[in-house]
């Protein structure tokens, strides 16, 4: 498609981390990037204006959820997602595949597609590769995703093999169905933990030809080393001149390690979800704002953060709001976490440009890495 | 006290409506004014910054609620309410009297004060005139209120008579207990529906001498004409050089009528509470955003409003957020209602300056008056 592509500006001298720009119909955004998730056309508690001010690039919205509420036709009639939610930057929609396989009940998978009960009112729905494209064309995001089968982990090789073949056939059908030339379409590499299947899926998708490639079937409960093996087994078969996206990853250690492997894009509900439970990512480690010790702590949430929450409010006030179940609390905490994660990835870009990404990764993880609870 | 008082700049030629300034330690604000209510040191869903941008003057916080959560000592240690909630303008705290009589259980009224079970955890608490002042001195608002007995409506004259005498004695005790000279202390006129008791209470409070006077015991279920009678029976015995405040009133017709009777200050949870239930005050009448008819309405909530909600989002989007129970919905709707009510009162000030307040009142009520559901 036109108006879409990546420009790689620099590759880190000591890793495969790369920095550059993603060109989209709604502007250029920096890579690598973390995309906040706006499931129902809202990143929970935050306004679109706050996202822009936090430095968000592309954001993600969920096809499955939006197809149920408010329905794709209404979003289309509004002029598409950008107008509907008043977000000026680029937007990506997933295919609904993950939700069909994680949220829906009474699922029946056939070659044609999947029938399932939706999680809200129990109505029977049908998703197929063509249907997922049709809905996403109505939603009108800049980047849309192929419909895939998200298998569970672990899964038998035989099952994964058959599933990968179907995912490839579904990807082809989706590409054939896709008509809008102002939307990039990404393929999703599946294949579970099996290197040959990852390779086969990646190569088949590249042969069909997509505007970008995602690595799917990760972050579904597999051990950490298996996650990185899956990413490694996929990324090496993907072209370097297309964007690479690992889906559903939001913890710092996973993001930074994957950036080092040449991944450009990430999304996750993690920063907003944990914020709503009072857990904050800060430059001084993980903070649980419910803790009694913050009752009289009149310092900022994160002394090194310049987000509106940290500039205007204290830990004691944020704890009070949280304990009193005041909406403003979840909102201010979400804003901080989104801001924080965006800034860490911004720091990664800067480090890549100076060939010091590995040092940066270790600095960040030493301060607030996985052992500290992210 | 120093740094406190009113300047009356003009009195409407055809009513007793007056326009001017309230001088406080945290700046001058325009009168008449509507004060949004921030019960727990937050106007529900909104940030302090949004309030300032909406043109809020003074805001109100609730002594009873804050004394339970987070506790007055914590607010004091934070440097007072202004710093705690990061609100730069003036703040008023009520005395807790209304909540003790409306929310608490197992209430026992004695001359010394009131013992009651708090509504959250059932702990027995004790409020007295001195205790209400002590807590409010710790909270540190610019204007604090005397502790009074809020009687029910209707109530026997004999009961009201005895209650008024106690309220007067309590007001005197509160004044004697009040030590901070950077806080104005208001008396509260009670007396139910009995003109002589209203007069007696007002005169007795004026003799004790307060920085301003509130009219209490209203908006507790009495018919509309009784409300205005109570206000009339109180206001005529109050000095014209002190601010006059009718407590707990947030509907447009009540506010505008009372402004015409010379009232300067109002507060109510109404705009934010009804917003959280999907009800909006707009220049084209009351809107219930849940209504099916807004499903595909891509126009602004209020075509004549310049609040961030109306400038950035459509009715269809707001309805979607509301139906999907997304926090952002309640937030954007609350912001509009607060903004709207502040602007209507701003319009009243402008009209008073031009001796056309009566016309303004009728224009406003014709457009979105009580018959249209406010």
């Amino acid at each position: 498609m036109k108006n879409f592509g990546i420009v790689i500006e620099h590759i880190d001298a000591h890793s495969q981390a790369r920095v550059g720009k993603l060109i989209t119909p709604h502007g250029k955004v920096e890579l690598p990037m973390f995309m906040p998730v706006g499931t129902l056309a809202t990143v929970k508690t935050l306004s679109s204006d706050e996202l822009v001010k936090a430095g968000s690039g592309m954001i993600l919205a969920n096809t499955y959820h939006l197809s149920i509420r408010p329905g794709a036709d209404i979003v289309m009639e509004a002029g598409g997602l950008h107008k509907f939610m008043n977000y000026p930057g680029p937007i990506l929609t997933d295919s609904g595949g993950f939700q069909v396989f994680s949220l829906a009940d009474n699922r029946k998978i056939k070659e044609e597609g999947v029938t399932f009960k939706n999680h809200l009112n129990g109505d029977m729905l049908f998703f197929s590769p063509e249907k997922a494209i049709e809905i996403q064309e109505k939603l009108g995001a800049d980047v849309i995703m192929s419909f895939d089968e998200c298998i569970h982990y672990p899964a038998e090789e035989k099952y994964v093999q058959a599933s990968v073949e179907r995912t490839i056939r579904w990807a082809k059908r989706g590409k054939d169905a896709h008509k809008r030339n102002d939307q990039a379409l990404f393929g999703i590499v599946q294949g579970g933990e099996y290197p040959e299947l990852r390779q086969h899926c990646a190569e088949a998708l590249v042969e069909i030809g997509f505007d970008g490639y995602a690595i799917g079937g990760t972050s579904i409960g597999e051990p950490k080393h298996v996650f990185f093996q899956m990413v490694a087994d996929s990324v090496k078969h993907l072209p370097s001149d297309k964007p690479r996206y690992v889906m559903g990853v939001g913890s710092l250690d996973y993001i930074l390690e994957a950036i080092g492997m040449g991944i450009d894009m990430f999304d996750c509900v993690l920063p907003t979800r944990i914020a709503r439970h009072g857990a904050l990512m800060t430059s001084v480690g993980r903070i649980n704002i419910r803790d009694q010790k913050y009752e009289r702590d009149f310092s900022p949430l994160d002394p090194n953060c310049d987000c509106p929450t940290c500039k205007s409010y204290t830990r004691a006030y944020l704890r009070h709001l949280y304990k009193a179940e005041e909406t403003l609390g979840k909102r201010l905490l979400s804003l901080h976490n989104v801001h924080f994660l965006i800034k860490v990835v911004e720091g990664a870009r800067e480090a890549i440009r100076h060939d010091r990404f590995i040092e940066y990764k270790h600095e960040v993880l030493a301060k607030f890495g996985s052992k500290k609870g992210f």
Side-chain angles (χ1 to χ4, degrees), chain A residues 42-47 50-51 269-280 289-290 301 307 309 313-315 317-339:
Chain A
T42 161
V43 175
K44 287 192 190 303
T45 78
L46 303 180
S47 71
E50 282 169 326
L51 290 171
V269 295
L270 181 129
T272 44
R273 179 170 289 166
I274 68 173
R276 293 198 305 280
H277 291 95
L280 289 313
I289 203 67
R290 289 162 301 187
L301 184 56
C307 83
T309 302
Y313 302 100
T314 63
R315 291 173 176 176
Y317 183 63
L318 295 167
R319 179 179 189 273
H320 161 64
L321 294 178
Y322 188 86
K323 297 287 285 183
E325 294 176 39
E326 284 286 350
T327 299
L328 180 62
K330 295 184 176 185
R331 176 185 158 188
L332 294 174
L333 298 175
S334 297
L335 183 58
H336 167 78
N337 268 3
V338 165
H339 191 273

Side-chain angles (χ1 to χ4, degrees), chain A residues 83-102:
Chain A
K83 285 194 178 165
F84 185 59
M85 68 182 293
N86 191 39
Y87 187 72
I91 302 177
L92 179 148
T93 46
D94 62 4
S95 65
F98 181 76
Q99 285 74 28
V100 166
F101 290 93
S102 63

Side-chain angles (χ1 to χ4, degrees), chain A residues 48-64:
Chain A
S48 50
D49 185 50
E50 282 169 326
L51 290 171
V52 171
K53 286 182 182 154
S56 63
M58 185 176 266
I59 62 171
L60 182 145
N62 291 119
T63 291
Y64 168 84

Side-chain angles (χ1 to χ4, degrees), chain A residues 19-38:
Chain A
V19 63
K21 298 235 176 358
L22 181 72
I23 299 151
T24 82
H26 285 85
K28 289 180 193 173
V29 289
E30 309 273 333
L31 294 178
M33 71 173 159
F34 173 77
M35 301 182 281
V37 176

Side-chain angles (χ1 to χ4, degrees), chain A residues 98 145 148-151 167 187-193 198 201 205 213-220 222 227 230-231 234 238 245-248:
Chain A
F98 181 76
M145 305 298 297
D148 57 341
E149 181 186 354
C150 294
I151 55 170
T167 282
I188 303 177
V189 180
Q190 292 286 351
E193 59 185 313
R198 288 273 168 190
C201 190
L205 293 175
Y213 298 90
I215 298 169
T218 60
S219 290
I220 51 172
E222 74 280 5
F227 167 83
M230 288 171 167
V231 174
S234 306
L238 295 176
Y245 163 29
V246 171
M247 305 179 82

Side-chain angles (χ1 to χ4, degrees), chain A residues 187-342:
Chain A
I188 303 177
V189 180
Q190 292 286 351
E193 59 185 313
Y194 305 102
E196 302 75 19
L197 295 179
R198 288 273 168 190
Q199 175 173 2
H200 170 61
C201 190
E203 288 175 351
L205 293 175
V206 170
E207 198 176 311
I208 298 169
F210 289 90
D211 300 305
Y213 298 90
I215 298 169
T218 60
S219 290
I220 51 172
E222 74 280 5
K224 194 167 178 173
H225 72 276
V226 174
F227 167 83
F228 288 115
Q229 193 57 51
M230 288 171 167
V231 174
D233 289 336
S234 306
V235 72
K236 65 185 169 195
H237 306 293
L238 295 176
S240 63
D241 62 347
K242 301 281 179 187
R244 303 158 176 168
Y245 163 29
V246 171
M247 305 179 82
V249 170
S251 64
L252 280 180
D253 50 349
Y254 279 63
I255 288 179
L256 290 174
E257 200 62 39
I259 286 176
M261 298 165 79
I263 303 300
D264 305 309
M265 299 164 61
F266 303 90
D267 79 280
C268 197
V269 295
L270 181 129
T272 44
R273 179 170 289 166
I274 68 173
R276 293 198 305 280
H277 291 95
L280 289 313
M281 306 164 96
T282 83
S283 68
V284 292
R286 184 180 175 114
I287 281 182
N288 246 301
I289 203 67
R290 289 162 301 187
D291 283 359
Q292 178 83 22
K293 64 180 169 184
Y294 301 121
E295 194 178 32
R296 288 175 152 82
D297 184 340
F298 303 111
S299 64
L301 184 56
D302 184 339
N304 304 308
C305 177
D306 63 349
C307 83
T309 302
C310 293
K311 279 195 293 185
S312 302
Y313 302 100
T314 63
R315 291 173 176 176
Y317 183 63
L318 295 167
R319 179 179 189 273
H320 161 64
L321 294 178
Y322 188 86
K323 297 287 285 183
E325 294 176 39
E326 284 286 350
T327 299
L328 180 62
K330 295 184 176 185
R331 176 185 158 188
L332 294 174
L333 298 175
S334 297
L335 183 58
H336 167 78
N337 268 3
V338 165
H339 191 273
F340 180 83
L341 202 43
I342 287 171

